[in-house]
Amino acid sequence: MTQENISADPIDGIDPNFVFDFQAYDDLEDGQRWSTWLSVEPLSRGPEPRPDWVVTSQGAIDTELGVLKTGKEADAFLIVRADPLFPEQEALMVAKRYRDSDHRSFHRAASYTEGRSVKRSRDERALKKNSTFGREVAKAEWANAEWNALVRCWNLGLPVPYPVQIDGTEILMEWIAVEDELGELETAPRLAQTRPERHVLEMWWDGLVEALATMVQAGLVHGDLSPYNILAQQDRLVIIDLPQIIDLVGNPLGFDFLLRDITNVAKWFQARGLEVDEQEVYADLMAHAF
């Protein structure tokens, strides 16, 4: 072989369509995993058009940053999804992971699931028997219920976290954050933790009633709405925790749950000096329902 052949470009003459740059990624550390974006089915990814911050790179890595909240039904973790070769691609998200049936307790679960159907008869039988498999089915059903509720509510234009993806019993969603006094991001406070001025109270109440009206028009009821599952993000309220969402008409207790939701939040606003009438709001919402 001549010196000329040795120094020649090894890809010279190869069709450029078959040439690509290979860039190696470092091994993963504890608390990290490869992004599961491309490993889930298309219907398990968030609705389009997707926000610009959603990271879809195949080379992205999910890094767990810590626990945000522990609950009876699920635990929430803060994670960052980023591609180390493209630092500008980075998204902070909440990973909500549902617990198995032995470690969670949905309040009056049967009341919430009244009118719901399970796709496969095998799963329905397992649920009724409360077998080990049935408990796994139940866990997945609650995760799927919240995922479907988030997607539907987002498509309705409601103030809910953007649902990024679902993978088994884990839902990745938008992290609702605010800036602290030092300009650092932190999780938005729950409505119950806030002490807003009157003009903010009025703005929040109007936005919340508008959101409830949109839900009622679509035949939906949150079912467990309270100042503890509403986040305050500057000038808007964001509704969270939707696994028990109810069909207003399909569930025999739909209207009872709606009145309870309205009453729960109205009492909080009333306690802070805002004159609102839950019965009047309920009547107005009924006008939206029919």
Side-chain angles (χ1 to χ4, degrees), residues 15-66:
D15 188 331
N17 292 324
F18 296 96
V19 178
F20 63 91
D21 292 327
F22 176 79
Q23 295 176 294
Y25 287 79
D26 295 332
D27 293 334
L28 299 184
E29 300 177 358
D30 290 341
Q32 291 187 323
R33 69 184 183 193
W34 294 109
S35 167
T36 53
W37 175 262
L38 292 178
S39 66
V40 299
E41 298 178 356
L43 289 179
S44 295
R45 302 175 195 146
E48 297 181 352
R50 299 187 180 103
D52 294 338
W53 55 264
V54 176
V55 176
T56 61
S57 170
Q58 188 171 3
I61 295 172
D62 294 344
T63 303
E64 193 169 304
L65 302 179

Side-chain angles (χ1 to χ4, degrees), residues 112 116 142 145 149 153 215 220-223 242-247:
Y112 292 118
R116 288 187 189 175
W142 282 107
C153 287
M215 293 183 73
L220 301 176
V221 180
H222 185 283
L242 299 164
Q244 70 293 310
I245 200 164
I246 291 165
D247 186 312

Side-chain angles (χ1 to χ4, degrees), residues 169-185:
T169 57
E170 179 190 74
I171 299 174
L172 296 185
M173 66 184 80
E174 177 185 3
W175 179 42
I176 305 300
V178 295
E179 288 188 358
D180 63 15
E181 296 177 353
L182 300 177
E184 299 291 332
L185 289 177

Side-chain angles (χ1 to χ4, degrees), residues 22 38 67 78 83 110 163 206 249 261:
F22 176 79
L38 292 178
V67 179
L78 181 63
D83 189 324
D206 290 343
V249 178
D261 282 355

Side-chain angles (χ1 to χ4, degrees), residues 193-265:
Q193 299 171 314
T194 64
R195 296 294 181 269
E197 297 180 0
R198 184 176 181 83
H199 74 280
V200 176
L201 273 174
E202 293 173 346
M203 178 174 57
W204 283 354
W205 175 252
D206 290 343
L208 187 57
V209 171
E210 182 180 348
L212 290 174
T214 300
M215 293 183 73
V216 168
Q217 286 176 326
L220 301 176
V221 180
H222 185 283
D224 194 29
L225 195 63
S226 79
Y228 294 94
N229 49 30
I230 299 174
L231 301 181
Q233 188 184 45
Q234 282 90 36
D235 60 349
R236 72 169 187 150
L237 297 180
V238 180
I239 300 171
I240 61 171
D241 294 339
L242 299 164
Q244 70 293 310
I245 200 164
I246 291 165
D247 186 312
L248 178 62
V249 178
N251 188 305
L253 299 175
F255 293 97
D256 294 332
F257 278 117
L258 175 61
L259 179 58
R260 192 183 71 175
D261 282 355
I262 298 168
T263 302
N264 284 343
V265 292

